[in-house]
Amino acid sequence: NQFKGLVDDIGLPIDSVDENTQRTLMGENFSSENVFNVARLVQENSIGVGWHTVFTSLNYKNIPRIYERIRGTGFRYWRIYEFNHNLAINRIFEEAKKPGCDHEKLNEKSENIDSLEIFGSPEKGYTDSLLAYFLLMEKEMRKHHDKRVQFVGVRDCPLPYAFLNNSGDISYYTWFSGMERRVLGNIIKDGFPFIVEKLNEVNEKL
């Protein structure tokens, strides 16, 4: 209710309709059952729902099944993102800078990230097979003629966007962010007017 009137829609993660795959990619708190329950609650408060899916080696075959599951939910958009290895690894680097970080766990996370690409990243000399499947799936999904379904490639040049996480942090992702989402403030602690002011400051630099 606290976001009613402040946001047009809320994006929710759905990486698979297979429960095991969804939990593997998103964690226990983001089971598909929980995510669809949240979507229902959001829409009951007259806020639109958008869906976000990261296209990885674990779920790339399930995209049509996800569409069949969400097509009747009245969603506003569904964005399928090509897996961004650099962005994921940079998050590991940021965690490594924190005092007392568990390097063993970070190494495990890094290996898990590598496994999300079918043969590994082009930066490591592998063929980017996942990109081929990404493009083929985009072509397959066009048969539905549903403009709400949008494929977002790593090599695309998307408009800058703000990102709100479940802790209230607002971060901004732009071409000058160096693959990093820079936190502008916290909507709960700093308040909405402060966030708007910071976003306007960033927009003036574009």
Side-chain angles (χ1 to χ4, degrees):
N1 285 331
Q2 61 180 316
F3 295 120
K4 190 173 183 179
L6 297 177
V7 295
D8 296 321
D9 54 67
I10 292 178
L12 297 172
I14 181 67
D15 284 338
S16 180
V17 289
D18 175 77
E19 202 63 74
N20 289 332
T21 304
Q22 173 75 0
R23 290 175 187 270
T24 297
L25 291 170
M26 294 304 307
E28 292 296 321
N29 293 331
F30 289 93
S31 68
S32 57
E33 180 181 358
N34 287 344
V35 170
F36 283 112
N37 284 337
V38 170
R40 177 178 52 80
L41 292 173
V42 168
Q43 290 175 319
E44 286 177 355
N45 283 280
S46 302
I47 299 174
V49 166
W51 295 106
H52 295 266
T53 301
V54 179
F55 192 93
T56 73
S57 64
L58 296 183
N59 67 348
Y60 72 98
K61 294 180 180 180
N62 300 138
I63 299 301
R65 289 182 59 202
I66 296 175
Y67 181 69
E68 290 304 314
R69 178 64 181 83
I70 69 173
R71 68 187 307 175
T73 62
F75 67 94
R76 291 190 176 179
Y77 62 85
W78 178 29
R79 294 185 184 132
I80 302 103
Y81 299 90
E82 180 190 358
F83 179 66
N84 190 329
H85 183 272
N86 288 337
L87 183 59
I89 285 295
N90 277 341
R91 290 174 184 166
I92 300 294
F93 292 155
E94 290 301 315
E95 287 187 47
K97 296 176 184 177
K98 297 177 182 178
C101 70
D102 189 330
H103 288 281
E104 187 174 337
K105 284 188 176 180
L106 290 183
N107 286 334
E108 183 179 340
K109 283 186 177 181
S110 179
E111 291 175 1
N112 289 338
I113 288 172
D114 287 342
S115 72
L116 295 179
E117 294 184 296
I118 294 179
F119 294 116
S121 67
E123 290 78 11
K124 294 183 178 180
Y126 291 95
T127 300
D128 193 354
S129 298
L130 194 61
L131 172 61
Y133 287 114
F134 180 80
L135 297 174
L136 288 171
M137 185 58 69
E138 180 179 16
K139 182 178 180 180
E140 179 179 341
M141 292 302 295
R142 284 178 186 163
K143 68 184 181 183
H144 296 289
H145 303 289
D146 191 337
K147 293 183 179 180
R148 299 174 300 172
V149 180
Q150 306 158 12
F151 280 72
V152 183
V154 172
R155 297 158 185 81
D156 293 345
C157 297
L159 293 173
Y161 67 90
F163 183 84
L164 169 66
N165 69 16
N166 55 5
S167 299
D169 287 334
I170 297 281
S171 51
Y172 203 71
Y173 191 31
T174 71
W175 60 271
F176 59 80
S177 295
M179 308 302 291
E180 174 189 355
R181 290 195 182 109
R182 301 182 180 183
V183 177
L184 298 179
N186 187 286
I187 195 169
I188 299 172
K189 297 177 182 177
D190 301 320
F192 189 70
F194 175 85
I195 298 299
V196 170
E197 180 183 346
K198 289 297 180 182
L199 289 172
N200 287 335
E201 288 178 6
V202 173
N203 282 328
E204 289 174 0
K205 297 177 182 180
L206 296 176

